[in-house]
């Protein structure tokens, strides 16, 4: 069954976040109670924008199911995709939220998505209510920045076909839902070049 219409019993946000924590960190029952009371589920449809360039984000989003695309226009007014957000990741619209500044790019759904969101005001309430949760959320935020660094390093170190193979290893289950033109844009190559890479692999 396709990812974007797959139905399952919704997990609580604390359970989802616990899956990506590292080391011996864990959520206590109090931690879970705090998190589950502040985050709320929301559904968005394929092609729907989470945020448009120039808007100021009001929520932080965590992805339970679905894929988001971050893109902007280049100097020739062509769409350029520079990021994908997958399940068990925070949306990149969080950058506008944290700065409370207009977004420099668009965040749009590639598939139907199930998200968990928390408002800007509730983030500060959550942090003030529990120092432990504050610390854990900081670690989760660090994961986001670690992924940004990895993306930049991959662009420097890897050739396009090597980067595509890396994506296949890391996100194979999700790439089939992303149009090739978006993947090509993400890799910095033309769709024709990506097709040649794919033919060599298969």
């Amino acid at each position: 069954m396709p990812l974007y219409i797959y139905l399952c019993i919704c997990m609580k946000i604390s359970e989802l976040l616990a899956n990506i924590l590292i080391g011996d960190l864990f959520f206590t029952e109090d931690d879970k109670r705090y998190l589950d009371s502040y985050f709320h589920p929301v559904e968005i449809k394929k092609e729907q924008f989470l945020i448009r360039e120039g808007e100021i984000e009001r929520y932080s989003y965590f992805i339970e199911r679905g894929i988001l695309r971050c893109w902007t226009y280049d100097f020739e007014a062509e769409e350029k995709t520079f990021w994908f957000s997958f399940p068990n990741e925070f949306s990149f619209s969080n950058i506008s939220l944290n700065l409370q500044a207009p977004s420099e790019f668009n965040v749009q759904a590639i598939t139907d998505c199930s998200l968990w969101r928390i408002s800007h005001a509730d983030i500060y309430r959550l942090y003030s209510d529990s120092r432990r949760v504050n610390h854990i959320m900081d670690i989760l935020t660090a994961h986001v920045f670690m992924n940004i660094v990895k993306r930049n390093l991959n662009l420097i170190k890897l050739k396009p076909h090597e980067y595509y193979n890396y994506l296949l290893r890391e996100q194979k289950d999700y790439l089939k839902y992303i149009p090739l033109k978006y993947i090509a844009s993400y890799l910095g190559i033309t769709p024709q070049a990506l097709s040649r890479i794919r033919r060599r692999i298969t």
Side-chain angles (χ1 to χ4, degrees), residues 124-143:
Y124 287 97
R125 294 191 187 98
L126 176 63
Y127 278 12
S128 63
D129 281 349
S130 173
R131 289 187 178 182
R132 254 187 59 80
V133 171
N134 189 340
H135 176 58
I136 290 171
M137 294 300 289
D138 284 344
I139 290 174
L140 293 172
T141 301
H143 278 248

Side-chain angles (χ1 to χ4, degrees), residues 67-81:
I67 305 168
L68 300 173
R69 174 175 79 104
C70 300
W71 64 273
T72 189
Y73 291 105
D74 68 7
F75 59 92
E76 294 180 331
E78 294 184 1
E79 286 188 16
K80 293 296 181 182
T81 299

Side-chain angles (χ1 to χ4, degrees), residues 78-180:
E78 294 184 1
E79 286 188 16
K80 293 296 181 182
T81 299
F82 64 89
W83 195 267
F84 298 113
S85 295
F86 297 103
N88 293 325
E89 295 179 355
F90 282 96
S91 162
F92 250 37
S93 64
N94 287 357
I95 295 174
S96 171
L97 175 84
N98 292 334
L99 298 176
Q100 281 299 280
S103 178
E104 297 286 344
F105 51 86
N106 304 286
V107 180
Q108 188 176 19
I110 291 179
T111 67
D112 290 351
C113 296
S114 298
L115 312 171
W116 290 85
R117 76 181 187 185
I118 179 172
S119 71
H120 186 256
D122 279 345
I123 288 174
Y124 287 97
R125 294 191 187 98
L126 176 63
Y127 278 12
S128 63
D129 281 349
S130 173
R131 289 187 178 182
R132 254 187 59 80
V133 171
N134 189 340
H135 176 58
I136 290 171
M137 294 300 289
D138 284 344
I139 290 174
L140 293 172
T141 301
H143 278 248
V144 175
F145 289 105
M146 179 180 67
N147 288 335
I148 295 172
V149 172
K150 282 184 178 179
R151 157 72 167 159
N152 288 333
L153 290 176
N154 284 335
L155 285 173
I156 294 170
K157 293 181 175 182
L158 302 180
K159 296 177 181 179
H161 73 275
E162 293 173 329
Y163 199 173
Y164 182 68
N165 282 327
Y166 170 82
L167 290 176
L168 283 178
R169 292 194 304 271
E170 296 296 313
Q171 303 293 351
K172 182 178 180 180
D173 291 340
Y174 301 115
L175 284 190
K176 58 188 174 183
Y177 299 107
I178 303 176
L180 290 183

